[in-house]
Structures are given as structure tokens and as C-alpha cells.
Amino acid sequence: QLQQQQQQQQQPEQHRPHQQDPKQQKPEQQGKIEADQRPDEESEAADERPEAPAPTTSHEQDDDNEHGKEEALSVPRERIDLASLNFAPQDWTDAEWQSFFEALDQQQSGLLSLADLRRYFGDVLRLGSAELSGLYKANEGHFSLEVLKNNYEKLLPLCTRDRVQQLIARRPGSFRGIEAPIFKAEDCMNCTILVCDVTKEVRL
């Protein structure tokens, strides 16, 4: 045994197993060792990453588009100052009639409601409410552009015609801005006519 120990001690250094200094290791080997030593850190970092949002399906996109349309439709249309409208339709073109009708049709439904008629002809032109209600009911609530064209002479401040058993009124302010106004009622039977504004003459 002593001889074997002496032989091992006398053995040249080149035959001894070489142990590499960790500081002298190649960068690739160091990176591999570090990666092997930190598996838990990488897993924890992966857990902390935010989850990617789920892809939007075509059905969800359609729902968003429909929701946007509903919001757009729910926004009220800008109202026109009806007092700025001049109701003198005797020489109007079709385009002028259409523009006037759309200004009155607040809901853009293609038909005027009784409220639409009262908003302009009652509040602005100062015609009587009962008169407008009778005209609206006479057309069964279907007050389209054509109906308005056919009945415009009944809605003029200074004139009305073809009325039967109606209460017709021109309230204060109906003739404002008109110099020496003359009110005319033609072909009216069994009607009560109230002219409550200053006028030069009333012709029946």
C-alpha cells in the first residue's frame, strides 16, 4: 500500500484528472448552468405575465356594431328653429315642400303627428288647437306630404276654406309683421270663427 501511495504521489501532473476552474468556463457553459439553476424563477415570471385577451369573434363584432347603431339612433336630431320658417307655399317647388315637411317631421317618420302640426301651425302661426285637431282627424292621422300639400290653404294665417262645423281661431300674433292684414274664410259652413288679432278686415 505504501508503494502504491508513493507511485500515485510520483505520478506526473498531466496524468491526473483535470478539474476546470468555474471562472475559466466558456460563456455557453456558464449560461447553461445558470439556466439549470433558475427553473423556479422562470416559472414564477411566467405566472406573473398578463394573459393575452381572447380573440374577438365575428358574432361579438356584430353585436358591437349593432350597439353602436343603437347609440347613434338614440341621439336626438338637431331641431330646426321653426319660427324661422316662412310658410308661403303658393309657388314652392317639390324640393322646397320636401325641405319644409322634413323640418316639421321631428321623428323623421314620413308622417306628421298632431304634435308636429301644433308645434308649428299652433305655436308659431298661432292657429287654434281645435282647428288643427279637426284637420288631423279628418285625414285619419295619416298626415303625409301629399296631405299637407292638399290642405295648405286651410293652414294659412290669413285664409281658411272648405271647413264644416269647425272651430276656427286666429290667436294673438297670427298676423304679426303683416301690414293691414285681411282675413278671408271661404266655403265654410256652420263654423265658429274667432279672429283674435288686429286686422283691417274680415271677409266671409
Side-chain angles (χ1 to χ4, degrees):
Q1 293 179 353
L2 291 174
Q3 290 178 357
Q4 290 178 357
Q5 290 178 0
Q6 290 176 357
Q7 289 177 359
Q8 290 177 358
Q9 290 176 359
Q10 293 175 0
Q11 207 173 25
E13 293 183 358
Q14 62 229 10
H15 296 291
R16 294 180 182 177
H18 179 69
Q19 295 182 355
Q20 188 175 4
D21 188 356
K23 296 182 180 180
Q24 298 178 354
Q25 292 177 347
K26 295 182 180 180
E28 295 83 357
Q29 295 176 344
Q30 292 180 355
K32 182 177 180 181
I33 294 172
E34 292 177 357
D36 294 339
Q37 290 175 349
R38 293 181 299 173
D40 295 339
E41 295 179 2
E42 291 185 356
S43 60
E44 292 177 359
D47 294 339
E48 294 177 356
R49 292 173 189 165
E51 295 183 0
T56 305
T57 63
S58 59
H59 295 291
E60 292 175 347
Q61 292 177 350
D62 294 340
D63 292 341
D64 293 340
N65 294 336
E66 291 297 329
H67 182 66
K69 292 178 182 178
E70 291 176 0
E71 289 184 350
L73 291 174
S74 64
V75 176
R77 186 173 68 91
E78 181 181 357
R79 293 193 173 186
I80 298 174
D81 182 12
L82 298 181
S84 65
L85 300 177
N86 182 25
F87 187 59
Q90 291 85 345
D91 299 322
W92 276 0
T93 63
D94 290 342
E96 290 172 323
W97 269 110
Q98 184 67 37
S99 178
F100 177 78
F101 185 86
E102 290 178 355
L104 266 58
D105 184 11
Q106 292 293 324
Q107 302 299 324
Q108 294 295 285
S109 62
L111 294 174
L112 297 183
S113 64
L114 181 56
D116 291 332
L117 294 177
R118 287 175 173 169
R119 191 177 294 114
Y120 179 71
F121 294 103
D123 296 343
V124 178
L125 298 188
R126 308 298 292 166
L127 273 62
S129 179
E131 181 180 359
L132 297 174
S133 297
L135 184 60
Y136 185 77
K137 292 177 181 178
N139 290 277
E140 299 179 350
H142 190 84
F143 220 93
S144 62
L145 175 58
E146 292 301 319
V147 172
L148 180 62
K149 287 181 178 181
N150 295 334
N151 290 275
Y152 82 89
E153 290 183 341
K154 301 176 182 179
L155 298 169
L156 295 171
L158 289 176
C159 178
T160 189
R161 61 182 306 170
D162 299 329
R163 312 305 294 272
V164 179
Q165 296 180 347
Q166 293 289 319
L167 174 60
I168 300 169
R170 295 297 179 268
R171 296 183 291 164
S174 292
F175 308 144
R176 67 182 183 281
I178 301 175
E179 185 177 354
I182 297 175
F183 177 78
K184 295 185 291 185
E186 301 176 358
D187 300 327
C188 295
M189 299 178 60
N190 299 327
C191 293
T192 299
I193 301 176
L194 304 176
V195 180
C196 304
D197 203 359
V198 178
T199 178
K200 179 182 179 180
E201 185 179 353
V202 174
R203 295 177 184 177
L204 302 176

